[in-house]
Amino acid sequence: MGCVCIPSKALLHVASVIDEVSHMAALGVDFGAPKVNIDMLRGHKEKVISKLTGGLGAMAKMRKVTIVRGYGAFVGANHVEVEETSGTGQDKTGSKKVVAFKKCIIAAGSQAVRLPFMPNDPRVVDSTGALALKEVPKRMLILGGGIIGLEMGTVYSTLGARLDVVEMLDGLMQGADRDLVKIWQKMNAPRFDNIMLKTKTVAAEATPEGIKVTFAPAEEGVKVPEPQVYDLVLQAVGRTPNGKKIAADKAGVAVTDRGFINVDIQMRSNVPHIFAIGDIVGQPMLAHKAVHEAHVAAEVIAGELQGNKELASAAFNARVIPSVAYTDPEVAWVGLTEDQAKAQGIKVKKGLFPWNASGRAIANGRDEGVTKLLFDDSPEAHGHGKILGGGMVGTHAGDMIGEVALAIEMGADAIDIGKTIHPHPTLGESIGMAAEIAHGSCTDVPPARK
């Protein structure tokens, strides 16, 4: 929470306000150019982290949970040794503490992948380093076209940096449908000088002028630029689990070659009294997945210790896990995507509602978005297929995708969603209208051509 999720959203909120204010001049309200105090902005981010971590500490105390801070490693099947730390960083105090346990939940997370040829230089950072916000570079390179890099790029771009992004695959924000990403990319084109797709980074050198980076084509026929010099390089090419950093073998816990810990639906490892949750048990590496996994592990443990069969039978059986890119506009999706349906030969009925038909989106001056729902259209569905997935691009998409996830979990069909009365005028009613389009009963858009 304190490393990426919350601090990045604190900065993205500031960036969003700056961007929104800049658009107001065209509406007759001109605030002038913003004056950014980078030290105060960094302080705001730290206050947000402090408030949340302090709140967690208080809740732990209320529940009589003892917090031991430091680097932990197993020294046996029922003991963990902790090298204690202090201060605001991770400075070791030199003291160690051994903690005994009957049951254990491993939540050691993951760390950013560091490319081996990248120089050890303060101008080369991972997501945590980028969040330190030491200064705003003139030119910034994002290695990897995934969500984390694009979110941080949004912040730095709004603060004044010019962006380049390099991605080995054929598109940014892999996992989301291409039609949604296309809308995002059109809106964000002014942020970028170069979007280098099907391109890999092969070398980097620290020079007085900056980090000199060399590129090469990932496929034949792809043209790449000459070596470029950047003031800041963000490595966002993925994350690797910390399974090999906790001496799990000393507890008998099996760790894969990649550092993952395999678990069952109760989050139990191969050692019956040791559980694991979060990034360390596999994709997707998302905090909201980890929280639900942790609830399952805690319930199972509590049930076993208390002799409560209902708690002890808890299992992680979520049908879907939503994904959100907190960029501007936001991109959110859950369940089956249209690209996946095509690749897997799954017949779906699509309801696509354009936000340029949404009164609220038009009033907000942000009608570039769309909401898309996919329903089972197999012969077995008999025209009343349940919802299989959905996605949207637009402001506050991440705040609305939960309704689509709930609809999938509940097995709703287009009529269930369309007949649910959504408040007007809201962006959320686009979900109901997308369902109506799939059903063929939407009156808020022109009739479909026959």
Side-chain angles (χ1 to χ4, degrees), residues 249-286:
D249 57 304
K250 293 184 179 179
V253 176
V255 180
T256 70
D257 292 340
R258 295 178 59 194
F260 288 107
I261 295 174
N262 292 324
V263 294
D264 62 16
I265 60 171
Q266 291 196 308
M267 313 314 298
R268 198 189 307 268
S269 74
N270 64 299
V271 178
H273 66 282
I274 297 180
F275 299 70
I277 62 98
D279 292 1
I280 210 165
V281 303
Q283 300 287 352
M285 291 184 174
L286 297 170

Side-chain angles (χ1 to χ4, degrees), residues 61-102:
K61 188 175 181 180
M62 292 174 192
R63 290 172 170 82
K64 299 179 181 179
V65 175
T66 301
I67 297 175
V68 181
R69 180 180 155 186
Y71 293 89
F74 288 99
V75 291
N78 293 93
H79 294 84
V80 168
E81 183 179 76
V82 181
E83 292 184 82
E84 294 186 279
T85 59
S86 65
T88 56
Q90 297 175 335
D91 300 324
K92 295 180 181 179
T93 63
S95 62
K96 296 181 179 180
K97 177 179 286 189
V98 175
V99 179
F101 60 85
K102 291 181 180 179

